[in-house]
Amino acid sequence: MTAGRCFALTVGVLALFSVGRAFGLLGPPAVAVSLLTAALVLIAWNAGATRADLGLQPADAPAGLRYGAAAFGAVLLVLVVAAAIPATNGFLHDSRAEIGGGRLLYQLGVSIVLLTAIPEEFAFRGVLLGSALRLWGPWRAALITSALFGLWHIAPTLHTMSDNRAVRGAAASTGGQVLLVLGSVAVTFLAGLVFCWLRLRSRSLIAPVMAHAATDGLALAVAWFAVHHASLG
């Protein structure tokens, strides 16, 4: 299988998964993610992708851990500062954080790390970026896969935009929803570029997985603390 066919098949599988997820056709999240990952592994295997192509070379793991830890710390610093500033604190108040401590741990460990960060990074910074690098080189590959990563978040944004108090008013109108979706696509496109840089710089998928988990997980954790602090106050 050529790199072009590998890239096209991966995009097709991701598109079908996105539509199926949006209409609830794939069953429980664990089943859906397992099917997606299995399909991507099969595509990568048929394409002859190496562990280095996918960012899974064991020798690159130490660099992945170093870059991932640095990204984790940077995300934590940004979120702590955002929580301390009144102008940005409101964006952290999310109804999805109105859960107990046990549920928070489940969301962090299972929903975010196992069902989101790892499979999405394998898809976008593993199989997709690996084939795109062979087709276009690092810069174009990063731009194209990051744009697809941004589009990937359209459906989730539509599903969860009303959960955040700071943007709930804008989500009440069609124009507001369009702006929120465009904003989400832009933000996740930029995040995708950062994740690509981490993957290319460290040569390991571990770095973007850690950064992705930090972006989603620490945001939820900080929101959880903000919500519970407000309720105690």
Side-chain angles (χ1 to χ4, degrees), residues 22-229:
F23 287 96
L25 303 176
L26 301 177
V31 174
V33 169
S34 297
L35 291 173
L36 173 64
T37 304
L40 295 176
V41 168
L42 183 60
I43 291 172
W45 179 74
N46 283 332
T50 66
R51 286 185 293 183
D53 291 331
L54 302 174
L56 301 177
Q57 190 76 358
D60 296 325
L65 288 170
R66 289 196 301 271
Y67 277 91
F72 192 95
V75 171
L76 178 60
L77 177 62
V78 169
L79 288 172
V80 169
V81 171
I85 299 175
T88 55
N89 179 272
F91 289 98
L92 297 174
H93 289 269
D94 195 304
S95 64
R96 287 171 291 177
E98 296 172 358
I99 54 179
R103 185 65 182 176
L104 173 66
L105 293 177
Y106 175 85
Q107 291 289 345
L108 293 175
V110 177
S111 298
I112 291 176
V113 175
L114 295 180
L115 300 181
T116 302
I118 292 176
E120 287 191 2
E121 289 310 309
F122 178 71
F124 285 93
R125 260 64 63 177
V127 183
L128 204 60
L129 183 63
S131 57
L133 286 170
R134 292 182 177 273
L135 292 170
W136 301 298
W139 283 108
R140 289 180 64 187
L143 288 170
I144 292 170
T145 57
S146 297
L148 292 171
F149 187 61
L151 295 175
W152 169 261
H153 286 81
I154 290 177
T157 300
L158 289 171
H159 181 67
T160 61
M161 62 174 58
S162 61
D163 294 330
N164 192 293
R165 298 177 189 175
V167 300
R168 192 174 296 161
S173 66
T174 301
Q177 290 181 4
V178 170
L179 289 176
L180 288 174
V181 167
L182 291 176
S184 175
V185 170
V187 168
T188 48
F189 166 73
L190 293 175
L193 289 177
V194 173
F195 296 160
C196 282
W197 182 84
L198 288 168
R199 160 72 175 84
L200 295 171
R201 186 71 176 177
S202 69
R203 301 184 301 277
S204 173
L205 202 62
I206 293 175
V209 166
M210 290 180 66
H212 194 152
T215 302
D216 293 353
L218 290 177
L220 177 62
V222 171
W224 187 85
F225 279 108
V227 166
H228 285 263
H229 177 74

Side-chain angles (χ1 to χ4, degrees), residues 17-26 155:
F17 180 87
S18 183
V19 172
R21 179 179 60 179
F23 287 96
L25 303 176
L26 301 177

